[in-house]
Structures are given as C-alpha cells and as structure tokens.
CSV table of all heavy atoms in Angstrom, one decimal:
chain,number,residue,atom,x,y,z
A,252,GLN,N,-5.9,-10.6,19.4
A,252,GLN,CA,-6.9,-11.6,18.9
A,252,GLN,C,-7.1,-11.5,17.4
A,252,GLN,O,-7.8,-12.3,16.8
A,252,GLN,CB,-8.3,-11.3,19.5
A,252,GLN,CG,-8.3,-11.5,21.0
A,252,GLN,CD,-9.6,-11.0,21.6
A,252,GLN,OE1,-10.4,-10.3,21.0
A,252,GLN,NE2,-9.8,-11.5,22.9
A,253,LEU,N,-6.4,-10.6,16.7
A,253,LEU,CA,-6.6,-10.4,15.3
A,253,LEU,C,-5.8,-11.5,14.5
A,253,LEU,O,-4.7,-11.7,14.7
A,253,LEU,CB,-6.1,-9.0,14.9
A,253,LEU,CG,-6.3,-8.6,13.4
A,253,LEU,CD1,-7.8,-8.5,13.1
A,253,LEU,CD2,-5.6,-7.3,13.1
A,254,GLU,N,-6.6,-12.1,13.6
A,254,GLU,CA,-6.0,-13.2,12.9
A,254,GLU,C,-5.5,-12.7,11.5
A,254,GLU,O,-4.4,-13.2,11.0
A,254,GLU,CB,-7.0,-14.3,12.7
A,254,GLU,CG,-7.4,-15.0,14.0
A,254,GLU,CD,-8.4,-16.1,13.8
A,254,GLU,OE1,-8.7,-16.4,12.6
A,254,GLU,OE2,-8.9,-16.6,14.8
A,255,LYS,N,-6.3,-11.9,10.8
A,255,LYS,CA,-5.9,-11.4,9.5
A,255,LYS,C,-5.7,-9.9,9.5
A,255,LYS,O,-6.6,-9.2,9.5
A,255,LYS,CB,-7.0,-11.7,8.5
A,255,LYS,CG,-7.2,-13.2,8.1
A,255,LYS,CD,-8.2,-13.2,6.9
A,255,LYS,CE,-9.1,-14.4,6.9
A,255,LYS,NZ,-10.0,-14.3,5.8
A,256,SER,N,-4.4,-9.5,9.5
A,256,SER,CA,-4.1,-8.1,9.5
A,256,SER,C,-4.4,-7.5,8.1
A,256,SER,O,-4.4,-6.3,7.9
A,256,SER,CB,-2.7,-7.9,9.9
A,256,SER,OG,-1.8,-8.5,9.0
A,257,SER,N,-4.6,-8.4,7.1
A,257,SER,CA,-4.8,-7.9,5.7
A,257,SER,C,-6.2,-7.2,5.6
A,257,SER,O,-6.4,-6.5,4.6
A,257,SER,CB,-4.7,-9.0,4.7
A,257,SER,OG,-5.8,-10.0,5.0
A,258,GLN,N,-7.0,-7.4,6.6
A,258,GLN,CA,-8.4,-6.7,6.5
A,258,GLN,C,-8.2,-5.2,6.6
A,258,GLN,O,-9.0,-4.5,6.1
A,258,GLN,CB,-9.2,-7.2,7.7
A,258,GLN,CG,-9.6,-8.7,7.5
A,258,GLN,CD,-10.4,-9.2,8.8
A,258,GLN,OE1,-10.0,-8.9,9.9
A,258,GLN,NE2,-11.4,-10.0,8.6
A,259,PHE,N,-7.2,-4.7,7.3
A,259,PHE,CA,-7.0,-3.3,7.4
A,259,PHE,C,-6.8,-2.7,6.1
A,259,PHE,O,-7.4,-1.6,5.8
A,259,PHE,CB,-5.7,-3.0,8.2
A,259,PHE,CG,-5.8,-3.2,9.7
A,259,PHE,CD1,-5.1,-4.1,10.4
A,259,PHE,CD2,-6.7,-2.4,10.5
A,259,PHE,CE1,-5.2,-4.3,11.7
A,259,PHE,CE2,-6.9,-2.5,11.8
A,259,PHE,CZ,-6.1,-3.5,12.5
A,260,ARG,N,-6.0,-3.3,5.2
A,260,ARG,CA,-5.8,-2.8,3.9
A,260,ARG,C,-7.0,-2.7,3.0
A,260,ARG,O,-7.3,-1.8,2.4
A,260,ARG,CB,-4.7,-3.6,3.2
A,260,ARG,CG,-4.3,-3.0,1.9
A,260,ARG,CD,-3.1,-3.8,1.3
A,260,ARG,NE,-2.7,-3.1,0.1
A,260,ARG,CZ,-2.5,-3.7,-1.1
A,260,ARG,NH1,-2.5,-5.0,-1.1
A,260,ARG,NH2,-2.1,-3.0,-2.1
A,261,SER,N,-7.8,-3.8,3.1
A,261,SER,CA,-9.0,-3.9,2.3
A,261,SER,C,-10.0,-2.8,2.7
A,261,SER,O,-10.7,-2.2,1.9
A,261,SER,CB,-9.6,-5.3,2.3
A,261,SER,OG,-10.0,-5.6,3.6
A,262,ILE,N,-10.1,-2.6,4.0
A,262,ILE,CA,-11.1,-1.6,4.5
A,262,ILE,C,-10.6,-0.2,4.1
A,262,ILE,O,-11.4,0.6,3.7
A,262,ILE,CB,-11.2,-1.7,6.1
A,262,ILE,CG1,-12.0,-3.0,6.4
A,262,ILE,CG2,-11.9,-0.5,6.7
A,262,ILE,CD1,-12.0,-3.2,7.9
A,263,ARG,N,-9.3,0.1,4.3
A,263,ARG,CA,-8.8,1.4,3.9
A,263,ARG,C,-9.0,1.6,2.4
A,263,ARG,O,-9.4,2.7,2.0
A,263,ARG,CB,-7.3,1.5,4.2
A,263,ARG,CG,-7.0,1.8,5.6
A,263,ARG,CD,-5.6,2.3,5.8
A,263,ARG,NE,-4.6,1.6,5.0
A,263,ARG,CZ,-3.8,0.6,5.4
A,263,ARG,NH1,-3.9,0.1,6.6
A,263,ARG,NH2,-2.9,0.0,4.6
A,264,LYS,N,-8.8,0.6,1.6
A,264,LYS,CA,-9.0,0.7,0.1
A,264,LYS,C,-10.5,1.0,-0.2
A,264,LYS,O,-10.8,1.9,-1.0
A,264,LYS,CB,-8.6,-0.6,-0.6
A,264,LYS,CG,-8.7,-0.5,-2.1
A,264,LYS,CD,-8.5,-1.8,-2.8
A,264,LYS,CE,-7.1,-2.3,-2.6
A,264,LYS,NZ,-6.8,-3.5,-3.5
A,265,GLU,N,-11.4,0.3,0.5
A,265,GLU,CA,-12.8,0.6,0.2
A,265,GLU,C,-13.3,2.0,0.6
A,265,GLU,O,-14.0,2.7,-0.1
A,265,GLU,CB,-13.7,-0.5,0.9
A,265,GLU,CG,-15.1,-0.4,0.4
A,265,GLU,CD,-15.9,-1.6,0.9
A,265,GLU,OE1,-15.4,-2.7,1.2
A,265,GLU,OE2,-17.2,-1.5,1.0
A,266,VAL,N,-12.8,2.4,1.8
A,266,VAL,CA,-13.1,3.8,2.2
A,266,VAL,C,-12.5,4.8,1.2
A,266,VAL,O,-13.2,5.8,0.9
A,266,VAL,CB,-12.5,4.0,3.6
A,266,VAL,CG1,-12.5,5.5,4.0
A,266,VAL,CG2,-13.2,3.2,4.7
A,267,ALA,N,-11.3,4.6,0.7
A,267,ALA,CA,-10.8,5.5,-0.3
A,267,ALA,C,-11.6,5.5,-1.6
A,267,ALA,O,-11.9,6.6,-2.1
A,267,ALA,CB,-9.3,5.1,-0.6
A,268,TRP,N,-12.1,4.4,-2.0
A,268,TRP,CA,-13.0,4.3,-3.2
A,268,TRP,C,-14.3,5.1,-2.9
A,268,TRP,O,-14.7,5.9,-3.8
A,268,TRP,CB,-13.4,2.9,-3.5
A,268,TRP,CG,-12.3,2.1,-4.2
A,268,TRP,CD1,-11.2,2.5,-4.8
A,268,TRP,CD2,-12.3,0.7,-4.3
A,268,TRP,NE1,-10.5,1.5,-5.4
A,268,TRP,CE2,-11.2,0.3,-5.1
A,268,TRP,CE3,-13.2,-0.3,-3.9
A,268,TRP,CZ2,-10.9,-1.0,-5.4
A,268,TRP,CZ3,-12.8,-1.7,-4.2
A,268,TRP,CH2,-11.7,-2.0,-4.9
A,269,ILE,N,-14.8,5.0,-1.7
A,269,ILE,CA,-16.1,5.7,-1.4
A,269,ILE,C,-15.8,7.2,-1.4
A,269,ILE,O,-16.6,7.9,-1.9
A,269,ILE,CB,-16.6,5.2,0.0
A,269,ILE,CG1,-17.2,3.8,-0.2
A,269,ILE,CG2,-17.7,6.1,0.5
A,269,ILE,CD1,-17.5,3.1,1.1
A,270,GLU,N,-14.7,7.6,-0.7
A,270,GLU,CA,-14.4,9.0,-0.7
A,270,GLU,C,-14.2,9.6,-2.1
A,270,GLU,O,-14.6,10.7,-2.4
A,270,GLU,CB,-13.2,9.3,0.2
A,270,GLU,CG,-13.5,9.0,1.7
A,270,GLU,CD,-12.3,9.2,2.6
A,270,GLU,OE1,-11.2,9.3,2.0
A,270,GLU,OE2,-12.5,9.2,3.8
A,271,THR,N,-13.6,8.8,-3.0
A,271,THR,CA,-13.3,9.3,-4.3
A,271,THR,C,-14.6,9.4,-5.1
A,271,THR,O,-14.8,10.4,-5.8
A,271,THR,CB,-12.4,8.3,-5.1
A,271,THR,OG1,-11.2,8.2,-4.4
A,271,THR,CG2,-12.2,8.7,-6.5
A,272,VAL,N,-15.5,8.5,-5.0
A,272,VAL,CA,-16.8,8.6,-5.6
A,272,VAL,C,-17.6,9.8,-5.1
A,272,VAL,O,-18.2,10.5,-5.9
A,272,VAL,CB,-17.6,7.3,-5.5
A,272,VAL,CG1,-19.0,7.4,-5.9
A,272,VAL,CG2,-16.9,6.1,-6.2
A,273,ILE,N,-17.6,10.0,-3.8
A,273,ILE,CA,-18.3,11.1,-3.3
A,273,ILE,C,-17.7,12.4,-3.8
A,273,ILE,O,-18.4,13.3,-4.2
A,273,ILE,CB,-18.3,11.1,-1.7
A,273,ILE,CG1,-19.1,10.0,-1.2
A,273,ILE,CG2,-18.7,12.4,-1.1
A,273,ILE,CD1,-19.0,9.7,0.3
A,274,SER,N,-16.4,12.5,-3.8
A,274,SER,CA,-15.7,13.7,-4.3
A,274,SER,C,-16.0,14.0,-5.8
A,274,SER,O,-16.3,15.1,-6.2
A,274,SER,CB,-14.2,13.6,-4.1
A,274,SER,OG,-13.5,14.6,-4.6
A,275,GLN,N,-16.0,12.9,-6.6
A,275,GLN,CA,-16.3,13.1,-8.0
A,275,GLN,C,-17.7,13.6,-8.2
A,275,GLN,O,-17.9,14.4,-9.1
A,275,GLN,CB,-16.0,11.7,-8.7
A,275,GLN,CG,-14.6,11.4,-8.9
A,275,GLN,CD,-14.4,10.0,-9.5
A,275,GLN,OE1,-15.4,9.2,-9.6
A,275,GLN,NE2,-13.2,9.7,-10.0
A,276,ARG,N,-18.6,13.0,-7.5
A,276,ARG,CA,-20.0,13.5,-7.6
A,276,ARG,C,-20.2,14.9,-7.2
A,276,ARG,O,-20.9,15.7,-7.9
A,276,ARG,CB,-20.9,12.6,-6.8
A,276,ARG,CG,-21.1,11.2,-7.4
A,276,ARG,CD,-22.0,10.4,-6.6
A,276,ARG,NE,-22.1,9.0,-7.1
A,276,ARG,CZ,-22.8,8.0,-6.5
A,276,ARG,NH1,-23.5,8.3,-5.4
A,276,ARG,NH2,-22.8,6.8,-7.1
A,277,ARG,N,-19.5,15.3,-6.2
A,277,ARG,CA,-19.6,16.7,-5.7
A,277,ARG,C,-19.0,17.6,-6.7
A,277,ARG,O,-19.6,18.7,-7.1
A,277,ARG,CB,-18.9,16.9,-4.4
A,277,ARG,CG,-19.0,18.3,-3.8
A,277,ARG,CD,-18.3,18.5,-2.4
A,277,ARG,NE,-16.9,18.3,-2.6
A,277,ARG,CZ,-16.2,17.3,-2.0
A,277,ARG,NH1,-16.8,16.5,-1.1
A,277,ARG,NH2,-14.9,17.2,-2.2
A,278,LEU,N,-17.9,17.3,-7.3
A,278,LEU,CA,-17.3,18.1,-8.3
A,278,LEU,C,-18.1,18.2,-9.6
A,278,LEU,O,-18.2,19.3,-10.2
A,278,LEU,CB,-15.9,17.6,-8.7
A,278,LEU,CG,-14.8,17.8,-7.6
A,278,LEU,CD1,-13.5,17.0,-8.1
A,278,LEU,CD2,-14.5,19.2,-7.4
A,279,LYS,N,-18.8,17.1,-9.9
A,279,LYS,CA,-19.7,17.1,-11.1
A,279,LYS,C,-20.9,18.0,-10.9
A,279,LYS,O,-21.2,18.8,-11.8
A,279,LYS,CB,-20.1,15.7,-11.3
A,279,LYS,CG,-20.8,15.4,-12.6
A,279,LYS,CD,-21.2,14.0,-12.8
A,279,LYS,CE,-21.8,13.7,-14.1
A,279,LYS,NZ,-22.1,12.3,-14.3
A,280,LYS,N,-21.4,18.0,-9.6
A,280,LYS,CA,-22.5,18.9,-9.3
A,280,LYS,C,-22.1,20.4,-9.4
A,280,LYS,O,-22.8,21.2,-9.9
A,280,LYS,CB,-23.1,18.6,-7.9
A,280,LYS,CG,-23.9,17.4,-7.8
A,280,LYS,CD,-24.4,17.3,-6.4
A,280,LYS,CE,-25.2,16.0,-6.2
A,280,LYS,NZ,-25.7,15.8,-4.8
A,281,GLU,N,-20.9,20.7,-8.8
A,281,GLU,CA,-20.4,22.0,-8.8
A,281,GLU,C,-20.2,22.5,-10.2
A,281,GLU,O,-20.4,23.7,-10.6
A,281,GLU,CB,-19.1,22.1,-8.0
A,281,GLU,CG,-19.3,22.0,-6.5
A,281,GLU,CD,-18.0,21.9,-5.7
A,281,GLU,OE1,-16.9,22.1,-6.3
A,281,GLU,OE2,-18.1,21.8,-4.5
A,282,LYS,N,-19.6,21.7,-11.1
A,282,LYS,CA,-19.4,22.0,-12.5
A,282,LYS,C,-20.7,22.3,-13.2
A,282,LYS,O,-20.8,23.2,-14.0
A,282,LYS,CB,-18.6,20.9,-13.2
A,282,LYS,CG,-18.0,21.3,-14.5
A,282,LYS,CD,-17.1,20.2,-15.0
A,282,LYS,CE,-16.5,20.6,-16.3
A,282,LYS,NZ,-15.6,19.5,-16.8
A,283,ALA,N,-21.7,21.5,-12.9
A,283,ALA,CA,-23.0,21.6,-13.6
A,283,ALA,C,-23.7,22.9,-13.1
A,283,ALA,O,-24.3,23.6,-13.9
A,283,ALA,CB,-23.9,20.4,-13.3
C-alpha cells in the first residue's frame, strides 16, 4: 500500500539529525 518510498529516507535523515543534536549536547555538557 506504500505510495511514496521516499518517505523512508526523509525519516531516517531526520532521526539522524536528532541523534546528532542529542549527542552534541551531551558532549558539550561533559566537556563543561
């Protein structure tokens, strides 16, 4: 039933952005 398989890529990209932001904030806290 899936019409747009391109949605997979956009979701994976957004999850990666979120994980990167979380990681950067954690490293910043650890450094501080």
Side-chain angles (χ1 to χ4, degrees):
Q252 300 172 342
L253 184 64
E254 294 178 8
K255 289 193 213 174
S256 61
S257 64
Q258 291 173 320
F259 285 116
R260 183 173 187 226
S261 63
I262 289 175
R263 281 195 321 261
K264 185 189 290 188
E265 191 171 336
V266 168
W268 283 343
I269 290 171
E270 289 176 352
T271 300
V272 169
I273 290 171
S274 176
Q275 286 175 343
R276 288 181 183 176
R277 185 180 61 240
L278 289 173
K279 191 175 183 181
K280 282 182 185 178
E281 289 174 2
K282 193 174 184 180

